[in-house]
Amino acid sequence: MIGLDYHTFSPWETGREIHIAVEKFKCRYENVILIANSIGAFFSMNAGIDEMIHTAYFISPIVDMEKLITDMMQWTNVSESELETEGIIHTDFGEDLSWEYLSYVRSHPIKWRVPTQILYGSNDHLTSLETITDFANKHQATLTVMEGGEHWFHTKEQMAFMDKWIKNDNEVLH
């Protein structure tokens, strides 16, 4: 198992970074299995790595970044015209809203054709069950929902559930 600690935070930069890393892994290994969490799943799906990935495991993935951004705009009462005019707006919850980022997301829809397993917590505050189910259905992904799970799997119970989920799903990982 190799972890990728990407150093950029925009989908266009991080996508390139992930693509380069996966190309190197693919040259050395027959099967590359991707395990990604939250925005890491979003960045991976925007990296053009479909053909190089054997299977993907997504934990609390961001699967509709446009919806997440527009939801954050609603939470902070920021209109599209305000965001376009300002370019970047800082929020009270620590995330910056960016017109460039929103524009990129809109012009680069997700195209993902990798067999994918998704673990989702029913109390995920960033992605609704409707959004994750819609993504799973459109991409023939298998969705597992942990009742009471959160976006960040961190409690002892959540970590045990996640371990069991990934171990029971695929013998390739053993």
Side-chain angles (χ1 to χ4, degrees):
M1 184 174 289
I2 301 167
L4 176 62
D5 183 19
Y6 49 84
H7 301 282
T8 55
F9 296 98
S10 68
W12 51 92
E13 294 171 313
T14 308
R16 278 194 304 270
E17 200 174 336
I18 291 170
H19 190 96
I20 291 166
V22 172
E23 278 182 324
K24 290 177 185 174
F25 298 148
K26 189 62 181 166
C27 290
R28 294 180 9 212
Y29 304 102
E30 183 179 341
N31 291 322
V32 176
I33 298 171
L34 174 68
I35 302 173
N37 185 50
S38 189
I39 199 166
F42 169 74
F43 287 152
S44 296
M45 289 186 289
N46 280 278
I49 59 174
D50 299 51
E51 300 300 320
M52 297 182 278
I53 301 296
H54 179 269
T55 307
Y57 292 85
F58 289 162
I59 303 152
S60 305
I62 301 298
V63 295
D64 188 340
M65 183 57 80
E66 180 180 0
K67 178 161 180 25
L68 179 57
I69 293 169
T70 57
D71 285 351
M72 290 192 300
M73 289 169 62
Q74 287 178 344
W75 301 338
T76 56
N77 295 315
V78 171
S79 69
E80 277 200 36
S81 59
E82 286 175 293
L83 185 57
E84 184 176 16
T85 300
E86 295 294 321
I88 295 176
I89 296 177
H90 306 290
T91 67
D92 292 338
F93 50 86
E95 297 293 330
D96 288 342
L97 297 171
S98 162
W99 180 253
E100 181 181 24
Y101 203 120
L102 178 59
S103 298
Y104 177 89
V105 167
R106 286 181 170 161
S107 63
H108 295 84
I110 290 175
K111 297 174 184 135
W112 188 245
R113 298 171 303 275
V114 175
T116 302
Q117 304 291 324
I118 298 172
L119 177 58
Y120 172 82
S122 66
N123 293 336
D124 190 318
H125 63 284
L126 295 179
T127 301
S128 69
L129 179 59
E130 178 184 357
T131 298
I132 201 79
T133 300
D134 184 53
F135 176 87
N137 290 337
K138 286 179 180 173
H139 295 88
Q140 292 79 48
T142 302
L143 175 61
T144 300
V145 178
M146 179 188 179
E147 286 302 318
E150 301 167 74
H151 183 76
W152 301 109
F153 278 65
H154 66 284
T155 68
K156 187 176 181 179
E157 178 186 33
Q158 291 166 357
M159 296 301 289
F161 189 96
M162 181 173 56
D163 286 346
K164 184 177 178 187
W165 167 75
I166 205 159
K167 286 177 185 173
N168 287 342
D169 182 68
N170 193 332
E171 293 300 318
V172 171
L173 296 177
H174 292 41

